[in-house]
Amino acid sequence: MALATRIEPSILHKLAKYAPESENSVWTEIRTKSLKELNSTAFPHRKIEEWIFTDLRPIVRTDFVPLEEAGTFPATDIEKYFIPESDRSRLVFINGKFHEKYSSIGGLGKGVTVGNLADHSDEEEVQKYLNNLVNYENDVFVQYNGLMFEDGAYIHLEKGAKAEAPIQVLNLYTDAKNPFVATPRMLVVSEEESDVTIIEDHIGLGENRYMTIPVCEVKVKERAHIHHVRIQRDSIDAIHVSRPIAYVEKNSEYHSYTITLGAKLTRNEPRVIQEDEEVDFTLDGLVLIDGEQIADTHSVMDHRFSHADSHQLHKVVVNGKAHSIFNGKIFVRRDAQKIDSFQENRNLLLSEDGLVNTKPQLEIFADDVLCSHGATIGQLDPEEVFYLQSRGMTEEKAKEVLTYAFALETIENVKVESVHKLLIDEVYRYTKANSESKVTV
Amino acid sequence: MLEIKDLHVEVEGEGIEILKGVNLTVNKGEIHAIMGPNGSGKSTLAKIVAGHPEYEVSKGDILYNGESILELDPDERAHAGVFLAFQYPVEVPGVTNNTLLRESYNTIAASRGREELDPLEFDDYLRDKLELVDMNPDFLERSVNAGFSGGEKKRNEIFQMAVLEPTLSLLDETDSGLDIDALRIVADGINKLHGEDDAVVLITHYQRLLNYIVPDHVHVMIGGKIVKSGGKELAIELEEKGYDWLETHATVNGEAK
Ligand SMILES: Nc1ncnc2c1ncn2[C@@H]1O[C@H](COP(=O)(O)OP(=O)(O)OP(=O)(O)O)[C@@H](O)[C@H]1O
Ligand SMILES: [Mg+2]
């Protein structure tokens, strides 16, 4: 505790005293541990290597209040965010709280359990994995989530179970008088040979400032497959700090696609950790930002065993004064041979005032590996613009088409039809809005 | 239809003069061939007519149907019926041929007051045009020129020309890279597309093409100028003699100026 006194208390430290009580021993234990760690962990700042490019002022300078005091407005007209494929496989959270009346969980077939974490605290998997997969040393955000969350999404597939429909985990954030902090939580345990598609959606209903800190733990057991789509459509003034982590076992596959559209400040730290041989995983991302948005992805792909196939295509379009940061760490441990790892960060800079920092980071300790990695920062190719113009498209249209084409590649693999379409619409909206504002080649 | 008058062209912002006083008149219904050594300015001429922003007209004018088009954007020139088949067709990953053509056809149709075609009609229309250049329909769903072989790219340019039905076609070395059969097919296609109301300007290095597409006029460009014009026999003469005998002529002209 001597250490604790040396820490400059951040807003998260200050809000810690509002942590809810729980009679449930699992939750109590997580809270006790989280609080202890939080008390001895400092809030990050730009002198720390991992935060060097990220402007944290939107967090530091906001007086967040406990959710109860935020004066939230009701969530209305939310049905339009329901995806039809998940008509009977949907969980809805509003500001992190589970809402049964909007949720629907009857349509998944045998061996699939979907529900609110708080209602499944007795289950073995919850006790075993919850808060034990996520491991962000010195991470106040994870600690804060651990201290505060009550509800969360729980998805469990028994051995051999195949979810008959994609599961939509819909996180809505309401307009409010004062800025609040939400702590959505998710645990996915996919037993041997199971198969599931998850659509995790974060949507801001207003234009207000709030901070959401989603923590998502995923366990993919032997020969199981998970397709995980994460869409971030937070309010334009929101702060989104997310920690999704997946552990992949032998012969399993985990494919995740993260689409970042909203929020004033995003810090996304996806991690995939290999637990055995013969795995296949994807950590693709698409970021479309404008205005004064900051979107930061710090990812880790940790190859600990032989025979892994990993893929990370991170595409970014920056307009206005927006700022993109990418740091992609690829670890290949000493005994991890026959690794085939692909990583590429491609940035399209549409404006003169946009900013891109990119740092692919390979740390390879094995010798029989194939790692390709690269980063490019470019503008639209004037020859391509001229070519399309010579075919009759206006300059604006040509730029729009080219931007659209650039962005589309990353969402091609999203296999839920309505979501794929929704994302195409989002890309279209972005490119359209941008071609109407000033764009420089 | 096209009148180029004492055209001087520089690389935008760099003051490097590439075209040094080109004069050329192309009338409705005619086919012109422009030949000349590498680097003499043939592509630059074609690109400046199409409105490429990399080049700047420092002197002279380009009239199209009697009016200067120097102030028009490339798309406005396309709307007016100008078409450039690129010497090096640009790859546009992520944009399918189909998307490009539908978009182009409809904007050009709209600006010329023609009916737009609905998707089904447009499909039929495309099929006909594909046949004209003997192209596989699979190419419609592929990204524009991405991963196309050299010859496929050239054929795709002529396919686009067939779809867009321009009134002035500038075909920059469309024959380079085509195999013997493809050359014949593409040449036949161009002949079929050409009629009384449009004009074609062919840029080529080879007299062979001109056996298939017979030009009304042949011009030789050297050092940024047209140094000689003649009938189709001129191409045969060039094939035999090369450009040397004309180059001295060009220099003399240049110095005299
Ligand atoms: N953007 C540019 N900057 C500098 N020089 C240029 C530029 N574009 C063209 N040039 C130069 O202008 C000259 C004419 O080029 P152009 O491409 O028009 O030749 P061409 O007659 O088409 O040759 P080829 O038969 O090889 O296709 C060349 O010397 C070329 O290097
Ligand atoms: Mg040329």
Side-chain angles (χ1 to χ4, degrees):
Chain A
M1 278 295 121
L3 204 62
T5 53
R6 273 194 263 136
I7 283 171
E8 179 79 25
S10 70
I11 184 68
L12 295 183
H13 293 95
K14 288 175 195 157
L15 288 174
K17 66 171 185 271
Y18 296 100
E21 292 288 323
S22 174
E23 52 257 39
N24 176 316
S25 64
V26 182
W27 266 240
T28 309
E29 199 184 307
I30 293 172
R31 283 197 187 129
T32 310
K33 188 163 162 254
S34 299
L35 181 61
K36 185 161 169 270
E37 287 178 8
L38 182 65
N39 279 334
S40 58
T41 308
F43 194 80
H45 51 81
R46 293 180 82 167
K47 293 205 183 82
I48 300 171
E49 166 94 39
E50 295 296 312
W51 294 88
I52 204 157
F53 296 116
T54 313
D55 183 358
L56 288 163
R57 280 177 299 184
I59 304 180
V60 179
R61 295 201 177 156
T62 304
D63 288 320
F64 291 101
V65 302
L67 187 57
E68 295 67 34
E69 292 169 25
T72 52
F73 295 103
T76 52
D77 199 18
I78 68 173
E79 288 77 11
K80 67 176 180 218
Y81 301 114
F82 297 173
I83 61 170
E85 290 90 341
S86 302
D87 201 27
R88 297 173 63 222
S89 50
R90 179 180 61 243
L91 296 173
V92 178
F93 299 85
I94 300 176
N95 302 332
K97 301 268 180 281
F98 181 60
H99 279 250
E100 191 160 11
K101 83 169 167 176
Y102 299 122
S103 302
S104 166
I105 51 177
L108 284 156
K110 253 182 67 213
V112 186
T113 305
V114 173
N116 182 7
L117 265 174
D119 300 332
H120 293 271
S121 57
D122 297 340
E123 266 169 65
E124 199 188 316
E125 284 73 24
V126 175
Q127 299 183 0
K128 191 164 165 194
Y129 297 118
L130 187 62
N131 214 47
N132 289 327
L133 299 178
V134 67
N135 176 25
Y136 297 89
E137 318 75 30
N138 304 321
D139 188 331
V140 292
F141 298 101
V142 171
Q143 292 155 2
Y144 185 79
N145 179 295
L147 179 65
M148 291 293 181
F149 84 92
E150 292 178 282
D151 294 342
Y154 177 55
I155 297 171
H156 180 255
L157 289 100
E158 281 175 18
K159 185 173 177 187
K162 315 256 184 255
E164 285 169 19
I167 299 169
Q168 184 182 21
V169 180
L170 184 56
N171 294 282
L172 300 168
Y173 306 95
T174 59
D175 201 356
K177 291 201 187 78
N178 299 303
F180 60 88
V181 185
T183 51
R185 190 83 188 197
M186 210 161 139
L187 174 66
V188 181
V189 181
S190 205
E191 306 284 350
E192 288 84 348
E193 287 171 46
S194 61
D195 191 324
V196 64
T197 294
I198 300 164
I199 310 296
E200 177 189 341
D201 208 345
H202 297 268
I203 300 174
L205 299 175
E207 294 180 350
N208 51 317
R209 164 76 39 104
Y210 59 85
M211 172 155 67
T212 179
I213 310 176
V215 172
C216 174
E217 295 168 283
V218 179
K219 177 84 172 169
V220 199
K221 298 206 181 169
E222 290 188 18
R223 295 181 299 285
H225 288 193
I226 295 185
H227 183 88
H228 188 179
V229 182
R230 305 171 58 235
I231 312 171
Q232 193 269 83
R233 304 189 263 170
D234 280 296
S235 109
I236 197 61
D237 206 28
I239 292 149
H240 182 106
V241 182
S242 63
R243 272 81 176 98
I245 185 164
Y247 281 80
V248 292
E249 291 190 1
K250 198 175 176 105
N251 285 306
S252 69
E253 291 189 25
Y254 175 74
H255 301 291
S256 98
Y257 307 89
T258 302
I259 296 87
T260 302
L261 304 163
K264 160 84 182 138
L265 168 63
T266 302
R267 169 80 171 206
N268 183 26
E269 293 194 21
R271 298 186 179 189
V272 182
I273 293 162
Q274 191 188 357
E275 288 199 297
D276 207 332
E277 301 191 340
E278 305 285 355
V279 299
D280 185 350
F281 57 92
T282 306
L283 210 55
D284 284 358
L286 172 64
V287 176
L288 305 177
I289 48 175
D290 192 5
E292 304 200 335
Q293 286 180 281
I294 306 163
D296 175 351
T297 295
H298 267 64
S299 63
V300 172
M301 300 205 286
D302 192 353
H303 305 82
R304 296 183 176 177
F305 295 86
S306 296
H307 300 281
D309 229 317
S310 64
H311 185 278
Q312 182 175 33
L313 175 62
H314 189 75
K315 279 199 167 184
V316 181
V317 186
V318 172
N319 200 16
K321 293 181 181 165
H323 181 191
S324 167
I325 300 142
F326 176 74
N327 174 240
K329 295 188 180 65
I330 295 182
F331 299 123
V332 180
R333 309 278 168 149
R334 214 183 57 198
D335 297 319
Q337 303 294 354
K338 307 267 181 224
I339 302 296
D340 188 347
S341 180
F342 167 89
Q343 181 189 61
E344 193 167 299
N345 171 219
R346 292 184 58 195
N347 298 280
L348 176 59
L349 200 50
L350 294 177
S351 61
E352 277 164 25
D353 296 331
L355 180 62
V356 172
N357 295 106
T358 175
K359 184 180 171 197
Q361 192 178 334
L362 261 58
E363 296 188 18
I364 300 175
F365 302 98
D367 42 37
D368 188 8
V369 297
L370 193 71
C371 283
S372 75
H373 72 115
T376 58
I377 304 174
Q379 293 159 354
L380 290 174
D381 181 352
E383 279 302 313
E384 292 180 22
V385 175
F386 173 65
Y387 189 76
L388 296 182
Q389 272 191 281
S390 79
R391 298 305 182 246
M393 286 187 202
T394 61
E395 188 177 352
E396 290 69 34
K397 185 75 196 175
K399 287 175 179 175
E400 185 187 310
V401 163
L402 291 171
T403 307
Y404 180 72
F406 173 87
L408 225 50
E409 186 184 356
T410 30
I411 56 177
E412 261 168 14
N413 294 316
V414 170
K415 61 185 186 187
V416 180
E417 200 184 315
S418 74
V419 177
H420 185 234
K421 197 179 159 298
L422 172 165
L423 293 174
I424 288 177
D425 290 348
E426 290 287 354
V427 171
Y428 187 72
R429 244 191 18 203
Y430 175 87
T431 52
K432 190 92 189 150
N434 281 295
S435 70
E436 279 159 12
S437 68
K438 194 189 127 284
V439 177
T440 44
V441 171
Chain B
M1 170 170 293
L2 177 69
E3 280 174 83
I4 297 175
K5 293 182 174 168
D6 190 27
L7 190 70
H8 290 251
V9 170
E10 297 178 357
V11 178
E12 170 83 36
E14 293 191 20
I16 308 169
E17 192 172 61
I18 299 173
L19 298 185
K20 301 170 181 169
V22 174
N23 288 290
L24 179 68
T25 300
V26 177
N27 296 310
K28 238 166 57 165
E30 290 179 348
I31 296 179
H32 289 239
I34 300 177
M35 305 180 80
N38 295 133
S40 57
K42 304 180 299 296
S43 293
T44 305
L45 179 66
K47 286 197 236 176
I48 196 76
V49 173
H52 199 296
E54 202 171 310
Y55 305 102
E56 192 182 14
V57 173
S58 52
K59 195 178 162 199
D61 206 349
I62 305 172
L63 305 183
Y64 179 69
N65 294 332
E67 283 176 45
S68 174
I69 54 169
L70 293 185
E71 295 304 316
L72 298 185
D73 287 338
D75 49 304
E76 294 169 318
R77 300 184 196 198
H79 296 165
V82 176
F83 178 85
L84 169 62
F86 286 57
Q87 181 176 0
Y88 304 107
V90 179
E91 298 196 6
V92 195
V95 180
T96 65
N97 252 336
N98 207 348
T99 308
L100 169 65
L101 288 171
R102 210 179 42 233
E103 190 68 45
S104 295
Y105 182 88
N106 284 332
T107 36
I108 291 176
S111 75
R112 290 206 212 158
R114 278 198 307 225
E115 287 269 316
E116 292 191 13
L117 296 177
D118 72 37
L120 282 179
E121 290 170 326
F122 190 65
D123 274 352
D124 289 342
Y125 179 73
L126 286 187
R127 303 274 141 186
D128 290 347
K129 301 297 182 183
L130 280 169
E131 270 174 39
L132 191 78
V133 288
D134 193 24
M135 219 164 92
N136 189 325
D138 292 351
F139 280 99
L140 289 176
E141 290 313 317
R142 285 178 57 181
S143 288
V144 177
N145 297 326
F148 286 28
S149 76
E152 286 165 352
K153 283 180 184 169
K154 295 303 179 71
R155 197 184 288 223
N156 199 31
E157 294 290 286
I158 300 308
F159 171 54
Q160 294 180 21
M161 171 186 165
V163 173
L164 302 179
E165 297 184 325
T167 43
L168 174 65
S169 303
L170 310 155
L171 311 181
D172 192 355
E173 293 198 27
T174 301
D175 52 335
S176 308
L178 290 175
D179 66 47
I180 300 158
D181 291 336
L183 179 67
R184 193 174 29 77
I185 293 162
V186 165
D188 282 350
I190 294 169
N191 281 328
K192 275 188 208 142
L193 292 168
H194 173 57
E196 281 179 3
D197 293 325
D198 70 276
V200 177
V201 177
L202 300 167
I203 294 169
T204 184
H205 286 294
Y206 306 106
Q207 195 269 329
R208 193 182 52 191
L209 175 71
L210 306 180
N211 291 336
Y212 294 107
I213 308 174
V214 182
D216 301 297
H217 301 275
V218 175
H219 311 277
V220 183
M221 178 173 256
I222 296 178
K225 279 184 178 180
I226 289 178
V227 298
K228 193 165 177 62
S229 298
K232 60 175 187 280
E233 336 64 62
L234 178 57
I236 298 166
E237 196 178 351
L238 290 170
E239 188 90 359
E240 285 166 6
K241 297 208 231 164
Y243 295 114
D244 278 359
W245 61 288
L246 288 166
E247 259 169 65
T248 32
H249 178 63
T251 328
V252 171
N253 261 10
E255 281 168 356
K257 228 181 162 232

